[in-house]
Amino acid sequence: MWWMLCVLFFGVSKGIREIMKKLALKKHSVLEVLFVYTALSFIMVLPSGRNAGGLEPVQFLFVALKAFFVFLAWICSFKAIRKLPISLYGVLDLSRVLFATALGVFVLREQLGIFQVFGLVFVGGGLLLLKFSPKKKAEDGTASGVQISEEIKKDKTPFYVAIAFLSCILNAMSGLLDKILMRDMTSSQLQFWYMLFMVSYYGIYVLITKTKINPKTWLNGWIWGLSLLFVASDKALFIANGMPDSKITVMTLIKQSGCIVTILAGKFIFKEKNTGYKLFCAAVIVIGIVLGVVR
């Protein structure tokens, strides 16, 4: 039960972080936010460095690989968040449950019970429903039929939808490595070295691309809040991964609870349209999540 609560905290905070990302990106570029975000997060985990020693070379290699997956995933997700409606992105992000479940079953040999199977069916169904809008009426009052969501049909939007899905795949691979690494590491060890590699990757990327970081970026309150919440929620997730009873398939389902936060934010903060239908899609997915955690 405790590991489920830890993952639930991660899921809800993830939804809040997506909102903070959208707000932080209003004044600064993707790379500026990413670099400052990771740098501040690393500074916050520095105290855990005194307990981060004692790793084998192969463990450093896998932590570096995990960090590289997230490095790429964040670039994709931040670009998608900046261009897509936050409510649409929040539901698209739920697709990671399918990728993570596949990895859990085929790599970690986790077994799915009947409730988990039905849970996946509901989650997949909710994602499929997202691609279609409700029937619209033409000017003469007749139904025009179910159509592809107007948000997904907009110019260049399919590209950002595609990189949102790529981000989900990379994050699922990172989640798999979390479960494997936490078998022989502490949460402090993983968090410290992971963040060190992350800030190094973005630092190198900034140098290669010759990106200038506006000093005002360091004063952006949304990025500070984003970093604080990220460090706290990642700590909870690593602790959950270290518990023997935790299963990556169930954890991935619980993580998707953050979609409700992003959809509500789309309606009340960003004044986006069609949130009622998205909430319906999310409700179908949440039913799948509830089924997934039933033993």
Side-chain angles (χ1 to χ4, degrees), residues 44-56:
M44 291 174 188
V45 302
L46 274 176
S48 64
R50 60 178 179 272
N51 301 316
L55 298 187
E56 299 292 331

Side-chain angles (χ1 to χ4, degrees), residues 98 114-127 253 284 288 291:
L98 304 177
I114 186 65
F115 287 106
Q116 282 74 48
V117 173
F118 277 113
L120 280 174
V121 170
F122 272 87
V123 171
L127 288 168
L253 287 169
V284 174
L291 289 172

Side-chain angles (χ1 to χ4, degrees), residues 149-197:
S149 169
E150 290 300 318
E151 288 173 330
I152 296 180
K153 287 171 63 179
K154 289 180 180 178
D155 291 343
K156 296 186 179 180
T157 298
F159 168 75
Y160 292 106
V161 170
I163 62 174
F165 279 126
L166 177 57
S167 171
C168 292
I169 295 172
L170 293 166
N171 277 310
M173 295 169 70
S174 169
L176 172 68
L177 285 174
D178 283 343
K179 186 64 180 174
I180 295 172
L181 289 168
M182 283 303 297
R183 292 172 178 172
D184 303 305
M185 297 174 65
T186 66
S187 59
S188 294
Q189 288 174 320
L190 179 54
Q191 192 168 40
F192 175 81
W193 292 110
Y194 157 59
M195 288 310 307
L196 177 59
F197 281 117

Side-chain angles (χ1 to χ4, degrees), residues 209-284:
T209 57
K210 297 180 180 179
T211 302
K212 294 182 179 180
I213 306 298
N214 189 328
K216 292 183 178 179
T217 312
W218 294 91
L219 302 177
N220 189 313
W222 294 115
I223 301 178
W224 278 84
L226 189 60
S227 299
L228 282 167
L229 200 54
F230 167 69
V231 171
S233 59
D234 250 27
K235 183 75 171 180
L237 183 62
F238 293 152
I239 290 172
N241 271 293
M243 296 180 181
D245 294 337
S246 64
K247 296 177 65 175
I248 191 172
T249 47
V250 178
M251 290 172 70
T252 306
L253 287 169
I254 300 174
K255 288 178 186 178
Q256 312 318 311
S257 55
C259 74
I260 302 297
V261 179
T262 56
I263 291 173
L264 291 175
K267 179 175 179 62
F268 295 108
I269 298 178
F270 300 102
K271 309 301 180 183
E272 296 171 1
K273 298 179 181 180
N274 205 27
T275 52
Y277 184 70
K278 292 170 189 171
L279 277 172
F280 168 72
C281 296
V284 174

Side-chain angles (χ1 to χ4, degrees), residues 24-36:
L25 287 166
K26 283 186 174 182
K27 294 183 178 180
H28 305 285
S29 70
V30 167
L31 195 50
E32 282 180 316
V33 174
L34 278 171
F35 177 74
V36 175

